[in-house]
Amino acid sequence: MEPIKLLLVEDNADINQMISEHLTKNGYLCDQAYSGTEALLRFEHTAYDLIILDLMLPGLDGEDVLADLRKRSDLPIIILTAKDSLKSKVEVLSAGADDYLCKPFAIEELLVRIQVQLRKVNKAKQPQTFKALKLDRKQFDALFNGHPLLLTKHEYYILELLMENPQRVFTKQEIYEYAWNDAYLGDEKTINVHMSNLRKKIHKYTEEEYIKTIWGIGFKMAQ
C-alpha cells in the first residue's frame, strides 16, 4: 500500500514545521510549501491525496489557490485560517473547500479531519452494487443494468444508505437524518413519498422487489 502524500501550504515557518512533523509521525508523507505560487508549482509535479491550505499567504492568497486547484482537481482540501467569521467559512466552502479549521487549533483535530476526508475519497472509489443496481457516486445517481435511474438527491442518499448496509433494517428516522442531514420530526409522509418514487424508478426496469418494507420498523434491501 502506497503511503498517503499530503501538501501543506502555510507561510508561517514554525506552524508549517510543527504540522509537518506531526503528519510525518502519523505515517503521512508531507511536502511543505510557504506561498500560493509554490503550492501550485508543487501540485503541477506531484500527485497528492489531500491539501492543507492556509488562506493568508504572501502573493497569491489561499482563495486564489483554491480556485485554481478546483479547476483542475477534486482532491480534498482542508482550509486553515485565522478568519473565523461565518461569512468567511461559507464563502470558502462554497468555493470548493472540503473542510475548514480555524487557528488556533489542536493538531489532533486536524489529524481526525484528514482521516475523515481520506475515508470519503476511499468510499467514493469503491463501487457499491446490489444485484443489478450500481451506485454512481460522481453523478449522485444509480444504474440498473447500465440504465441511469435519474434519482433526486434525497432518493440517491436513501438508496446509498440501504445499499451500503443491505442486511440491515433502517428506521424512518435513520433514513431521514442520513438523507436530509437534519433532525427527524416524525414526517413519515416525506419518507414514504420518496421511497415510493425510488421504487417506481427501479420497477421501470424490473418487477423484482429491491426495497423491502419491514412493517413497524422501516426499510431494507430485499435479499
Side-chain angles (χ1 to χ4, degrees), residues 149-188:
L149 297 184
L150 303 179
L151 302 178
T152 67
K153 181 179 73 171
H154 293 130
E155 289 167 359
Y156 169 80
Y157 283 124
I158 290 171
L159 189 59
E160 179 183 65
L161 178 65
L162 297 178
M163 285 180 62
E164 287 181 349
N165 306 271
Q167 305 292 335
R168 181 180 165 188
V169 180
F170 288 92
T171 66
K172 291 180 180 180
Q173 177 176 344
E174 289 172 326
I175 292 171
Y176 186 91
E177 290 177 351
Y178 181 88
W180 276 263
N181 193 28
D182 198 2
Y184 179 64
L185 301 177
D187 186 5
E188 293 191 3

Side-chain angles (χ1 to χ4, degrees), residues 53-56 62-63 66 79-97 99-103:
L53 176 64
D54 184 29
L55 285 186
M56 301 177 71
E63 286 93 342
L66 175 61
I79 297 296
L80 298 182
T81 181
K83 298 180 180 180
D84 59 357
S85 70
L86 177 60
K87 181 175 182 291
S88 176
K89 181 176 181 179
V90 169
E91 288 177 349
V92 171
L93 292 176
S94 298
D99 204 351
Y100 188 105
L101 195 56
C102 292
K103 300 176 181 178

Side-chain angles (χ1 to χ4, degrees), residues 130-134 142-149 205-206 210:
F130 180 84
K131 299 181 181 178
L133 276 176
K134 181 178 180 180
L143 305 175
F144 191 95
N145 284 332
H147 300 283
L149 297 184
Y205 299 101
T206 180
Y210 266 68

Side-chain angles (χ1 to χ4, degrees), residues 14 20-21 69 94 104 107 111 162 173 178:
D14 292 335
S20 177
E21 288 176 358
L69 291 172
S94 298
I107 192 66
L111 290 170
L162 297 178
Q173 177 176 344
Y178 181 88

